[in-house]
Amino acid sequence: MEKFKDQLSDYHITNDLFLIGQENLLQKTISRYMSSSDLFSILKNNQFRIPQRNTFSDEREVGKCFSIRNRFPVQPVDGSNKEYRQRLDELIKCSYSLPTSCWNLANEEDFLMWKAYTKDSFGVRITTTVEKFYNAFEYSPFRCIICDEVEYDKERAKYSLKQELFTKTQYYGNEQEFRFYFVPKDNIKDNLFKLTDAEFIESITLSPFIEKSLIPHITKAIEDMAPYLEGKISCSKILEKR
């Protein structure tokens, strides 16, 4: 925890556990596209799936670069920052295996996000706020949770932990991503993490690819598992042939 705090000293700290880029981001509305099975895992089992970063398809998430020169930051000839760079490289390497949850900041649903992040026709889009999401977890497995908005830039060498964690190439800019990193106390054995409050979800949008005849049944199944969501489930506004 202290190593991350040292590298992210300008971040706002809440509950001695949660590091966020700016305090005013706590009330930011975020959304996530997911499969119906992941949604049911939340509502039925109080578990949230958080994959490790090194399982992402973008190879830059584990340090690969299109241009090899961008892999190695420029160093002073006298080696004056050698110790700092060693500590930073250690944290960057550690970050590749961190459980990482990616969310979307756009107010409206997006056709291409549905296609990219819901693999079947039974996908959903859930919305919540940054604060409600991190407060939903059982904290005991984590040393800290780090989150911020992702920035998009040209590929270049990384000179800070913030750059490594929250910068992606401009090719992904349409994602408008908000990202959470969960720093565990022990080795990860599973990517399902316990929720203490499954009612963090504020609303649900059903995929535009769901067969219309199934919508009432899916809606009822969700409301039966989570009565608090009654009246908070809507159909996609995208009109696709089904």
Side-chain angles (χ1 to χ4, degrees), residues 52-82:
Q52 289 174 262
R53 187 184 180 196
N54 55 19
T55 65
F56 293 178
S57 59
D58 179 5
E59 291 190 321
R60 290 183 176 90
E61 297 281 6
V62 290
K64 293 186 179 180
C65 297
F66 183 78
S67 172
I68 195 168
R69 70 178 183 178
N70 291 324
R71 191 177 301 173
F72 305 103
V74 176
Q75 301 289 324
V77 176
D78 63 4
S80 57
N81 73 339
K82 183 178 179 180

PDB file of all heavy atoms in Angstrom, residues 52-82:
ATOM      1  N   GLN A  52      -7.715 -10.431 -14.122  1.00  0.00           N
ATOM      2  CA  GLN A  52      -6.388  -9.847 -13.975  1.00  0.00           C
ATOM      3  C   GLN A  52      -5.998  -9.113 -15.252  1.00  0.00           C
ATOM      4  O   GLN A  52      -6.370  -9.498 -16.357  1.00  0.00           O
ATOM      5  CB  GLN A  52      -5.371 -10.934 -13.636  1.00  0.00           C
ATOM      6  CG  GLN A  52      -5.547 -11.485 -12.223  1.00  0.00           C
ATOM      7  CD  GLN A  52      -4.629 -12.653 -11.949  1.00  0.00           C
ATOM      8  OE1 GLN A  52      -5.034 -13.806 -12.054  1.00  0.00           O
ATOM      9  NE2 GLN A  52      -3.388 -12.353 -11.601  1.00  0.00           N
ATOM     10  N   ARG A  53      -5.248  -8.061 -15.088  1.00  0.00           N
ATOM     11  CA  ARG A  53      -4.893  -7.205 -16.218  1.00  0.00           C
ATOM     12  C   ARG A  53      -4.172  -7.969 -17.326  1.00  0.00           C
ATOM     13  O   ARG A  53      -4.353  -7.679 -18.514  1.00  0.00           O
ATOM     14  CB  ARG A  53      -4.016  -6.054 -15.710  1.00  0.00           C
ATOM     15  CG  ARG A  53      -3.704  -4.985 -16.733  1.00  0.00           C
ATOM     16  CD  ARG A  53      -2.761  -3.963 -16.150  1.00  0.00           C
ATOM     17  NE  ARG A  53      -2.430  -2.919 -17.109  1.00  0.00           N
ATOM     18  CZ  ARG A  53      -1.413  -2.087 -16.966  1.00  0.00           C
ATOM     19  NH1 ARG A  53      -0.623  -2.175 -15.894  1.00  0.00           N
ATOM     20  NH2 ARG A  53      -1.171  -1.153 -17.874  1.00  0.00           N
ATOM     21  N   ASN A  54      -3.353  -8.955 -16.960  1.00  0.00           N
ATOM     22  CA  ASN A  54      -2.577  -9.675 -17.970  1.00  0.00           C
ATOM     23  C   ASN A  54      -3.420 -10.636 -18.814  1.00  0.00           C
ATOM     24  O   ASN A  54      -2.893 -11.320 -19.691  1.00  0.00           O
ATOM     25  CB  ASN A  54      -1.394 -10.414 -17.342  1.00  0.00           C
ATOM     26  CG  ASN A  54      -1.810 -11.341 -16.224  1.00  0.00           C
ATOM     27  OD1 ASN A  54      -2.966 -11.728 -16.107  1.00  0.00           O
ATOM     28  ND2 ASN A  54      -0.855 -11.693 -15.364  1.00  0.00           N
ATOM     29  N   THR A  55      -4.729 -10.689 -18.564  1.00  0.00           N
ATOM     30  CA  THR A  55      -5.612 -11.494 -19.410  1.00  0.00           C
ATOM     31  C   THR A  55      -6.271 -10.641 -20.500  1.00  0.00           C
ATOM     32  O   THR A  55      -6.969 -11.178 -21.358  1.00  0.00           O
ATOM     33  CB  THR A  55      -6.717 -12.168 -18.581  1.00  0.00           C
ATOM     34  OG1 THR A  55      -7.580 -11.163 -18.018  1.00  0.00           O
ATOM     35  CG2 THR A  55      -6.122 -13.016 -17.468  1.00  0.00           C
ATOM     36  N   PHE A  56      -6.056  -9.318 -20.489  1.00  0.00           N
ATOM     37  CA  PHE A  56      -6.662  -8.434 -21.482  1.00  0.00           C
ATOM     38  C   PHE A  56      -6.039  -8.680 -22.857  1.00  0.00           C
ATOM     39  O   PHE A  56      -4.867  -9.047 -22.976  1.00  0.00           O
ATOM     40  CB  PHE A  56      -6.484  -6.966 -21.095  1.00  0.00           C
ATOM     41  CG  PHE A  56      -7.254  -6.552 -19.861  1.00  0.00           C
ATOM     42  CD1 PHE A  56      -7.151  -5.254 -19.380  1.00  0.00           C
ATOM     43  CD2 PHE A  56      -8.084  -7.428 -19.192  1.00  0.00           C
ATOM     44  CE1 PHE A  56      -7.855  -4.849 -18.255  1.00  0.00           C
ATOM     45  CE2 PHE A  56      -8.788  -7.040 -18.068  1.00  0.00           C
ATOM     46  CZ  PHE A  56      -8.679  -5.750 -17.593  1.00  0.00           C
ATOM     47  N   SER A  57      -6.822  -8.425 -23.891  1.00  0.00           N
ATOM     48  CA  SER A  57      -6.345  -8.681 -25.250  1.00  0.00           C
ATOM     49  C   SER A  57      -5.318  -7.645 -25.730  1.00  0.00           C
ATOM     50  O   SER A  57      -4.491  -7.943 -26.594  1.00  0.00           O
ATOM     51  CB  SER A  57      -7.522  -8.714 -26.228  1.00  0.00           C
ATOM     52  OG  SER A  57      -8.230  -7.476 -26.207  1.00  0.00           O
ATOM     53  N   ASP A  58      -5.352  -6.429 -25.187  1.00  0.00           N
ATOM     54  CA  ASP A  58      -4.403  -5.383 -25.560  1.00  0.00           C
ATOM     55  C   ASP A  58      -3.026  -5.723 -24.982  1.00  0.00           C
ATOM     56  O   ASP A  58      -2.827  -5.685 -23.769  1.00  0.00           O
ATOM     57  CB  ASP A  58      -4.884  -4.029 -25.036  1.00  0.00           C
ATOM     58  CG  ASP A  58      -3.935  -2.882 -25.372  1.00  0.00           C
ATOM     59  OD1 ASP A  58      -2.941  -3.122 -26.092  1.00  0.00           O
ATOM     60  OD2 ASP A  58      -4.175  -1.750 -24.916  1.00  0.00           O
ATOM     61  N   GLU A  59      -2.065  -6.040 -25.840  1.00  0.00           N
ATOM     62  CA  GLU A  59      -0.760  -6.495 -25.365  1.00  0.00           C
ATOM     63  C   GLU A  59       0.039  -5.385 -24.685  1.00  0.00           C
ATOM     64  O   GLU A  59       1.002  -5.661 -23.963  1.00  0.00           O
ATOM     65  CB  GLU A  59       0.034  -7.105 -26.516  1.00  0.00           C
ATOM     66  CG  GLU A  59      -0.564  -8.420 -27.002  1.00  0.00           C
ATOM     67  CD  GLU A  59       0.340  -9.149 -27.969  1.00  0.00           C
ATOM     68  OE1 GLU A  59       0.972  -8.491 -28.808  1.00  0.00           O
ATOM     69  OE2 GLU A  59       0.415 -10.387 -27.874  1.00  0.00           O
ATOM     70  N   ARG A  60      -0.325  -4.132 -24.895  1.00  0.00           N
ATOM     71  CA  ARG A  60       0.353  -3.045 -24.191  1.00  0.00           C
ATOM     72  C   ARG A  60       0.048  -3.068 -22.693  1.00  0.00           C
ATOM     73  O   ARG A  60       0.750  -2.447 -21.909  1.00  0.00           O
ATOM     74  CB  ARG A  60      -0.039  -1.698 -24.795  1.00  0.00           C
ATOM     75  CG  ARG A  60       0.529  -1.445 -26.193  1.00  0.00           C
ATOM     76  CD  ARG A  60       0.156  -0.063 -26.683  1.00  0.00           C
ATOM     77  NE  ARG A  60       0.758   0.256 -27.973  1.00  0.00           N
ATOM     78  CZ  ARG A  60       0.196  -0.001 -29.144  1.00  0.00           C
ATOM     79  NH1 ARG A  60      -0.987  -0.604 -29.175  1.00  0.00           N
ATOM     80  NH2 ARG A  60       0.800   0.330 -30.270  1.00  0.00           N
ATOM     81  N   GLU A  61      -1.015  -3.771 -22.297  1.00  0.00           N
ATOM     82  CA  GLU A  61      -1.362  -3.881 -20.872  1.00  0.00           C
ATOM     83  C   GLU A  61      -0.302  -4.656 -20.096  1.00  0.00           C
ATOM     84  O   GLU A  61      -0.262  -4.592 -18.870  1.00  0.00           O
ATOM     85  CB  GLU A  61      -2.726  -4.555 -20.697  1.00  0.00           C
ATOM     86  CG  GLU A  61      -3.903  -3.806 -21.292  1.00  0.00           C
ATOM     87  CD  GLU A  61      -4.376  -2.646 -20.430  1.00  0.00           C
ATOM     88  OE1 GLU A  61      -3.720  -2.335 -19.413  1.00  0.00           O
ATOM     89  OE2 GLU A  61      -5.409  -2.043 -20.774  1.00  0.00           O
ATOM     90  N   VAL A  62       0.546  -5.393 -20.796  1.00  0.00           N
ATOM     91  CA  VAL A  62       1.622  -6.137 -20.117  1.00  0.00           C
ATOM     92  C   VAL A  62       2.992  -5.685 -20.618  1.00  0.00           C
ATOM     93  O   VAL A  62       3.956  -6.444 -20.610  1.00  0.00           O
ATOM     94  CB  VAL A  62       1.458  -7.664 -20.287  1.00  0.00           C
ATOM     95  CG1 VAL A  62       0.267  -8.154 -19.491  1.00  0.00           C
ATOM     96  CG2 VAL A  62       1.308  -8.052 -21.763  1.00  0.00           C
ATOM     97  N   GLY A  63       3.071  -4.433 -21.069  1.00  0.00           N
ATOM     98  CA  GLY A  63       4.371  -3.836 -21.351  1.00  0.00           C
ATOM     99  C   GLY A  63       4.893  -3.959 -22.761  1.00  0.00           C
ATOM    100  O   GLY A  63       5.977  -3.447 -23.066  1.00  0.00           O
ATOM    101  N   LYS A  64       4.163  -4.608 -23.649  1.00  0.00           N
ATOM    102  CA  LYS A  64       4.631  -4.712 -25.028  1.00  0.00           C
ATOM    103  C   LYS A  64       4.407  -3.379 -25.750  1.00  0.00           C
ATOM    104  O   LYS A  64       3.451  -2.665 -25.466  1.00  0.00           O
ATOM    105  CB  LYS A  64       3.928  -5.849 -25.752  1.00  0.00           C
ATOM    106  CG  LYS A  64       4.282  -7.217 -25.207  1.00  0.00           C
ATOM    107  CD  LYS A  64       3.691  -8.327 -26.044  1.00  0.00           C
ATOM    108  CE  LYS A  64       4.090  -9.693 -25.491  1.00  0.00           C
ATOM    109  NZ  LYS A  64       3.531 -10.804 -26.293  1.00  0.00           N
ATOM    110  N   CYS A  65       5.283  -3.055 -26.690  1.00  0.00           N
ATOM    111  CA  CYS A  65       5.193  -1.800 -27.434  1.00  0.00           C
ATOM    112  C   CYS A  65       5.318  -2.080 -28.922  1.00  0.00           C
ATOM    113  O   CYS A  65       6.039  -2.990 -29.336  1.00  0.00           O
ATOM    114  CB  CYS A  65       6.292  -0.832 -27.020  1.00  0.00           C
ATOM    115  SG  CYS A  65       6.215  -0.311 -25.294  1.00  0.00           S
ATOM    116  N   PHE A  66       4.638  -1.277 -29.720  1.00  0.00           N
ATOM    117  CA  PHE A  66       4.770  -1.399 -31.170  1.00  0.00           C
ATOM    118  C   PHE A  66       6.180  -0.995 -31.600  1.00  0.00           C
ATOM    119  O   PHE A  66       6.788  -1.615 -32.447  1.00  0.00           O
ATOM    120  CB  PHE A  66       3.720  -0.512 -31.863  1.00  0.00           C
ATOM    121  CG  PHE A  66       3.735  -0.640 -33.352  1.00  0.00           C
ATOM    122  CD1 PHE A  66       3.142  -1.737 -33.974  1.00  0.00           C
ATOM    123  CD2 PHE A  66       4.332   0.319 -34.143  1.00  0.00           C
ATOM    124  CE1 PHE A  66       3.159  -1.870 -35.355  1.00  0.00           C
ATOM    125  CE2 PHE A  66       4.361   0.195 -35.525  1.00  0.00           C
ATOM    126  CZ  PHE A  66       3.767  -0.895 -36.134  1.00  0.00           C
ATOM    127  N   SER A  67       6.692   0.068 -30.971  1.00  0.00           N
ATOM    128  CA  SER A  67       8.056   0.529 -31.243  1.00  0.00           C
ATOM    129  C   SER A  67       8.923   0.231 -30.024  1.00  0.00           C
ATOM    130  O   SER A  67       8.611   0.663 -28.914  1.00  0.00           O
ATOM    131  CB  SER A  67       8.066   2.032 -31.522  1.00  0.00           C
ATOM    132  OG  SER A  67       9.386   2.512 -31.609  1.00  0.00           O
ATOM    133  N   ILE A  68      10.006  -0.509 -30.210  1.00  0.00           N
ATOM    134  CA  ILE A  68      10.831  -0.928 -29.081  1.00  0.00           C
ATOM    135  C   ILE A  68      11.431   0.256 -28.326  1.00  0.00           C
ATOM    136  O   ILE A  68      11.693   0.188 -27.134  1.00  0.00           O
ATOM    137  CB  ILE A  68      11.935  -1.905 -29.537  1.00  0.00           C
ATOM    138  CG1 ILE A  68      12.554  -2.610 -28.324  1.00  0.00           C
ATOM    139  CG2 ILE A  68      12.990  -1.184 -30.372  1.00  0.00           C
ATOM    140  CD1 ILE A  68      13.439  -3.777 -28.687  1.00  0.00           C
ATOM    141  N   ARG A  69      11.638   1.378 -29.011  1.00  0.00           N
ATOM    142  CA  ARG A  69      12.228   2.545 -28.341  1.00  0.00           C
ATOM    143  C   ARG A  69      11.311   3.092 -27.254  1.00  0.00           C
ATOM    144  O   ARG A  69      11.777   3.751 -26.321  1.00  0.00           O
ATOM    145  CB  ARG A  69      12.542   3.633 -29.349  1.00  0.00           C
ATOM    146  CG  ARG A  69      11.324   4.321 -29.942  1.00  0.00           C
ATOM    147  CD  ARG A  69      11.697   5.425 -30.896  1.00  0.00           C
ATOM    148  NE  ARG A  69      10.508   6.105 -31.403  1.00  0.00           N
ATOM    149  CZ  ARG A  69      10.554   7.135 -32.220  1.00  0.00           C
ATOM    150  NH1 ARG A  69      11.715   7.599 -32.641  1.00  0.00           N
ATOM    151  NH2 ARG A  69       9.435   7.696 -32.638  1.00  0.00           N
ATOM    152  N   ASN A  70       9.999   2.827 -27.351  1.00  0.00           N
ATOM    153  CA  ASN A  70       9.062   3.327 -26.347  1.00  0.00           C
ATOM    154  C   ASN A  70       9.001   2.443 -25.111  1.00  0.00           C
ATOM    155  O   ASN A  70       8.288   2.746 -24.159  1.00  0.00           O
ATOM    156  CB  ASN A  70       7.656   3.446 -26.944  1.00  0.00           C
ATOM    157  CG  ASN A  70       7.572   4.549 -27.976  1.00  0.00           C
ATOM    158  OD1 ASN A  70       8.204   5.580 -27.822  1.00  0.00           O
ATOM    159  ND2 ASN A  70       6.806   4.331 -29.037  1.00  0.00           N
ATOM    160  N   ARG A  71       9.748   1.367 -25.122  1.00  0.00           N
ATOM    161  CA  ARG A  71       9.758   0.467 -23.975  1.00  0.00           C
ATOM    162  C   ARG A  71      10.741   0.926 -22.901  1.00  0.00           C
ATOM    163  O   ARG A  71      10.608   0.578 -21.728  1.00  0.00           O
ATOM    164  CB  ARG A  71      10.119  -0.951 -24.436  1.00  0.00           C
ATOM    165  CG  ARG A  71       9.901  -2.027 -23.390  1.00  0.00           C
ATOM    166  CD  ARG A  71      10.210  -3.393 -23.943  1.00  0.00           C
ATOM    167  NE  ARG A  71       9.382  -3.700 -25.103  1.00  0.00           N
ATOM    168  CZ  ARG A  71       9.539  -4.786 -25.862  1.00  0.00           C
ATOM    169  NH1 ARG A  71      10.495  -5.653 -25.575  1.00  0.00           N
ATOM    170  NH2 ARG A  71       8.749  -5.000 -26.897  1.00  0.00           N
ATOM    171  N   PHE A  72      11.692   1.747 -23.299  1.00  0.00           N
ATOM    172  CA  PHE A  72      12.760   2.114 -22.374  1.00  0.00           C
ATOM    173  C   PHE A  72      12.810   3.621 -22.181  1.00  0.00           C
ATOM    174  O   PHE A  72      13.198   4.358 -23.101  1.00  0.00           O
ATOM    175  CB  PHE A  72      14.108   1.605 -22.891  1.00  0.00           C
ATOM    176  CG  PHE A  72      14.128   0.130 -23.156  1.00  0.00           C
ATOM    177  CD1 PHE A  72      14.048  -0.359 -24.466  1.00  0.00           C
ATOM    178  CD2 PHE A  72      14.192  -0.766 -22.115  1.00  0.00           C
ATOM    179  CE1 PHE A  72      14.062  -1.717 -24.720  1.00  0.00           C
ATOM    180  CE2 PHE A  72      14.195  -2.130 -22.353  1.00  0.00           C
ATOM    181  CZ  PHE A  72      14.131  -2.607 -23.650  1.00  0.00           C
ATOM    182  N   PRO A  73      12.435   4.132 -21.000  1.00  0.00           N
ATOM    183  CA  PRO A  73      12.507   5.576 -20.736  1.00  0.00           C
ATOM    184  C   PRO A  73      13.940   6.091 -20.774  1.00  0.00           C
ATOM    185  O   PRO A  73      14.888   5.355 -20.459  1.00  0.00           O
ATOM    186  CB  PRO A  73      11.928   5.693 -19.314  1.00  0.00           C
ATOM    187  CG  PRO A  73      11.195   4.429 -19.071  1.00  0.00           C
ATOM    188  CD  PRO A  73      11.893   3.377 -19.868  1.00  0.00           C
ATOM    189  N   VAL A  74      14.092   7.344 -21.151  1.00  0.00           N
ATOM    190  CA  VAL A  74      15.411   7.973 -21.150  1.00  0.00           C
ATOM    191  C   VAL A  74      15.885   8.119 -19.707  1.00  0.00           C
ATOM    192  O   VAL A  74      15.132   8.542 -18.830  1.00  0.00           O
ATOM    193  CB  VAL A  74      15.347   9.353 -21.835  1.00  0.00           C
ATOM    194  CG1 VAL A  74      16.700  10.054 -21.743  1.00  0.00           C
ATOM    195  CG2 VAL A  74      14.921   9.193 -23.293  1.00  0.00           C
ATOM    196  N   GLN A  75      17.139   7.759 -19.437  1.00  0.00           N
ATOM    197  CA  GLN A  75      17.697   7.812 -18.094  1.00  0.00           C
ATOM    198  C   GLN A  75      18.854   8.815 -18.041  1.00  0.00           C
ATOM    199  O   GLN A  75      19.609   8.947 -19.012  1.00  0.00           O
ATOM    200  CB  GLN A  75      18.223   6.426 -17.686  1.00  0.00           C
ATOM    201  CG  GLN A  75      17.180   5.328 -17.694  1.00  0.00           C
ATOM    202  CD  GLN A  75      16.198   5.478 -16.571  1.00  0.00           C
ATOM    203  OE1 GLN A  75      16.552   5.900 -15.476  1.00  0.00           O
ATOM    204  NE2 GLN A  75      14.937   5.171 -16.834  1.00  0.00           N
ATOM    205  N   PRO A  76      19.014   9.515 -16.902  1.00  0.00           N
ATOM    206  CA  PRO A  76      20.187  10.389 -16.746  1.00  0.00           C
ATOM    207  C   PRO A  76      21.476   9.580 -16.865  1.00  0.00           C
ATOM    208  O   PRO A  76      21.548   8.440 -16.386  1.00  0.00           O
ATOM    209  CB  PRO A  76      20.022  10.948 -15.327  1.00  0.00           C
ATOM    210  CG  PRO A  76      18.569  10.803 -15.020  1.00  0.00           C
ATOM    211  CD  PRO A  76      18.114   9.566 -15.732  1.00  0.00           C
ATOM    212  N   VAL A  77      22.472  10.164 -17.484  1.00  0.00           N
ATOM    213  CA  VAL A  77      23.754   9.466 -17.691  1.00  0.00           C
ATOM    214  C   VAL A  77      24.398   9.096 -16.365  1.00  0.00           C
ATOM    215  O   VAL A  77      25.024   8.038 -16.227  1.00  0.00           O
ATOM    216  CB  VAL A  77      24.712  10.345 -18.529  1.00  0.00           C
ATOM    217  CG1 VAL A  77      26.078   9.677 -18.656  1.00  0.00           C
ATOM    218  CG2 VAL A  77      24.118  10.605 -19.905  1.00  0.00           C
ATOM    219  N   ASP A  78      24.253   9.962 -15.352  1.00  0.00           N
ATOM    220  CA  ASP A  78      24.903   9.701 -14.067  1.00  0.00           C
ATOM    221  C   ASP A  78      24.153   8.689 -13.205  1.00  0.00           C
ATOM    222  O   ASP A  78      24.590   8.349 -12.102  1.00  0.00           O
ATOM    223  CB  ASP A  78      25.096  11.007 -13.291  1.00  0.00           C
ATOM    224  CG  ASP A  78      23.763  11.680 -12.934  1.00  0.00           C
ATOM    225  OD1 ASP A  78      22.695  11.094 -13.222  1.00  0.00           O
ATOM    226  OD2 ASP A  78      23.803  12.787 -12.363  1.00  0.00           O
ATOM    227  N   GLY A  79      22.998   8.204 -13.692  1.00  0.00           N
ATOM    228  CA  GLY A  79      22.247   7.197 -12.944  1.00  0.00           C
ATOM    229  C   GLY A  79      21.612   7.718 -11.670  1.00  0.00           C
ATOM    230  O   GLY A  79      21.297   6.936 -10.764  1.00  0.00           O
ATOM    231  N   SER A  80      21.376   9.019 -11.589  1.00  0.00           N
ATOM    232  CA  SER A  80      20.898   9.630 -10.349  1.00  0.00           C
ATOM    233  C   SER A  80      19.502   9.171  -9.947  1.00  0.00           C
ATOM    234  O   SER A  80      19.137   9.247  -8.770  1.00  0.00           O
ATOM    235  CB  SER A  80      20.920  11.157 -10.476  1.00  0.00           C
ATOM    236  OG  SER A  80      20.142  11.578 -11.582  1.00  0.00           O
ATOM    237  N   ASN A  81      18.695   8.708 -10.880  1.00  0.00           N
ATOM    238  CA  ASN A  81      17.347   8.258 -10.516  1.00  0.00           C
ATOM    239  C   ASN A  81      17.220   6.733 -10.598  1.00  0.00           C
ATOM    240  O   ASN A  81      16.120   6.205 -10.751  1.00  0.00           O
ATOM    241  CB  ASN A  81      16.299   8.927 -11.395  1.00  0.00           C
ATOM    242  CG  ASN A  81      16.308   8.377 -12.811  1.00  0.00           C
ATOM    243  OD1 ASN A  81      17.302   7.805 -13.251  1.00  0.00           O
ATOM    244  ND2 ASN A  81      15.197   8.550 -13.518  1.00  0.00           N
ATOM    245  N   LYS A  82      18.343   6.043 -10.509  1.00  0.00           N
ATOM    246  CA  LYS A  82      18.336   4.591 -10.663  1.00  0.00           C
ATOM    247  C   LYS A  82      17.450   3.904  -9.627  1.00  0.00           C
ATOM    248  O   LYS A  82      16.657   3.018  -9.953  1.00  0.00           O
ATOM    249  CB  LYS A  82      19.773   4.056 -10.554  1.00  0.00           C
ATOM    250  CG  LYS A  82      19.877   2.549 -10.766  1.00  0.00           C
ATOM    251  CD  LYS A  82      21.321   2.085 -10.691  1.00  0.00           C
ATOM    252  CE  LYS A  82      21.419   0.575 -10.875  1.00  0.00           C
ATOM    253  NZ  LYS A  82      22.830   0.110 -10.802  1.00  0.00           N
TER     254      LYS A  82
END
